[in-house]
Amino acid sequence: MTELQQRQAVALRTSRARSLLRLSRPQQWHKATMLYAAPAAAGVVDQPNALLKATIAAVAFTLLSIAVYALNDVRDTPDDRRHPTKQHRPIASGALSPRAATVWAIVTAAAGLAVLTQLGPSTCALGAAYLVTQLLYVYGLKHIAVVDVVAVALGFVLRAAAGATATGVPVSNWFLVVSLFGALFLVAGKRRAERGASTADARTRPVLAAYTSAWLDQLTTVALLGTCLSYGLWAFQYLGDDVYRQLLTVSFLPFLTGLLRYGFLVSTGRGELPEHELFRDRVLVIAGLSWAALVGAGLYLA
């Protein structure tokens, strides 16, 4: 092999690696932080063993999500090629073949499930349930109004529950309810922004046209109310306890402020990328940091 051929081979491997990385959507990997929520709420995330198990579970669920992203892009290739921005995705642009993406999905899914087997049958079962639910979403549920929203929210709840089983902490009913309504709140805001942001999205994703602004507003309101009430019931159970525990009660104020602020941003047409809004808006950042400080002190200083 000549030097030129060697350079071309290296460039091809580098290009393929970059395409696989883009296909894996690293900008979405932050969702795995849900695996730390249960041990954090239980006050054990500062323990090395719990932190290690939560991290292993987070890595496993990230691998499972990569498999889902890859198969989703394979499934949506024809639609993506008609979209002004999604046409640049690795498969739609031709940088990566559907076959290579499918193999990548199989490898990452198998790796994720293999890792979860080290964390016990319950966590492995939740991982399998997550994978099945998201694949059903990719291959049909995403086109059914209402069901698509519930399926996405369920993915967050399964992550949260897996964080609990992986670290051996009890799963609080209030914790799961907050996770469900909080996820629904974010998904409702995302759908509302997607519906009004681009006609291209409506053409390539017909389910968006099935939603009315009034119904999405209702869903946002219901999810906001459910999140506030369930979190409030959890937080106010500590009223009258140790002085540090009462900080959990105080944390309801920045929590409510953050939710109301995000709801306001959604009403102005923002929310298509929740992860961007959460860190771009100054009020949300201050409310989030205040909430985290109060909850951290209430759980770990008591």
Side-chain angles (χ1 to χ4, degrees):
M1 182 180 292
T2 65
E3 183 178 350
L4 177 59
Q5 289 175 326
Q6 290 177 340
R7 290 180 179 177
Q8 290 176 336
V10 171
L12 180 61
R13 288 194 295 269
T14 301
S15 175
R16 182 170 297 176
R18 288 176 178 172
S19 295
L20 286 174
L21 180 61
R22 288 175 54 212
L23 181 71
S24 304
R25 302 189 193 180
Q27 72 274 16
Q28 299 291 339
W29 294 354
H30 65 276
K31 294 176 181 177
T33 55
M34 282 295 295
L35 276 295
Y36 296 94
V44 301
V45 79
D46 58 336
Q47 298 176 10
N49 187 52
L51 181 60
L52 175 61
K53 289 183 177 180
T55 300
I56 293 173
V59 170
F61 269 78
T62 299
L63 289 169
L64 295 180
S65 68
I66 289 173
V68 174
Y69 296 144
L71 292 176
N72 179 78
D73 283 7
V74 172
R75 182 76 169 81
D76 289 353
T77 298
D79 292 332
D80 288 347
R81 285 174 177 161
R82 300 195 304 269
H83 195 278
T85 57
K86 294 179 181 179
Q87 64 179 321
H88 301 297
R89 286 178 172 177
I91 304 175
S93 65
L96 203 63
S97 70
R99 182 177 181 275
T102 302
V103 171
W104 180 242
I106 294 172
V107 170
T108 52
L113 292 174
V115 172
L116 287 176
T117 59
Q118 307 303 309
L119 297 174
S122 296
T123 307
C124 189
L126 287 170
Y130 168 83
L131 185 60
V132 170
T133 301
Q134 298 310 300
L135 289 179
L136 289 174
Y137 173 82
V138 168
Y139 289 100
L141 298 185
K142 66 189 297 182
H143 301 300
I144 304 175
V146 180
V147 177
D148 70 316
V149 173
V150 175
V152 174
L154 182 59
F156 286 93
V157 177
L158 289 172
R159 286 186 183 98
T165 58
T167 53
V169 300
V171 182
S172 164
N173 292 334
W174 291 126
F175 174 78
L176 293 178
V177 173
V178 171
S179 300
L180 175 60
F181 278 112
L184 281 174
F185 181 59
L186 293 177
V187 177
K190 182 176 175 64
R191 287 292 182 270
R192 193 181 190 283
E194 288 172 340
R195 187 182 181 280
S198 171
T199 55
D201 280 326
R203 288 197 303 268
T204 58
R205 296 178 60 191
V207 71
L208 292 177
Y211 289 118
T212 63
S213 297
W215 187 85
L216 289 172
D217 288 341
Q218 289 175 3
L219 177 60
T220 303
T221 302
V222 169
L224 173 62
L225 181 61
T227 307
C228 289
L229 287 178
S230 54
Y231 183 84
L233 289 170
W234 172 78
F236 278 87
Q237 68 180 319
Y238 297 104
L239 190 63
D241 281 3
D242 172 85
V243 62
Y244 288 113
R245 283 290 187 184
Q246 292 192 63
L247 293 177
L248 296 174
T249 304
V250 180
S251 73
F252 181 75
L253 181 59
F255 185 83
L256 177 62
T257 301
L259 287 179
L260 293 176
R261 177 66 177 183
Y262 189 80
F264 166 74
L265 296 178
V266 167
S267 71
T268 64
R270 293 161 64 176
E272 187 172 0
L273 297 173
E275 60 274 13
H276 291 179
E277 303 299 339
L278 294 176
F279 296 101
R280 189 172 65 178
D281 184 79
R282 184 176 301 177
V283 175
L284 281 176
V285 171
I286 294 174
L289 291 175
S290 301
W291 171 81
L294 290 168
V295 171
L299 290 173
Y300 294 91
L301 294 181

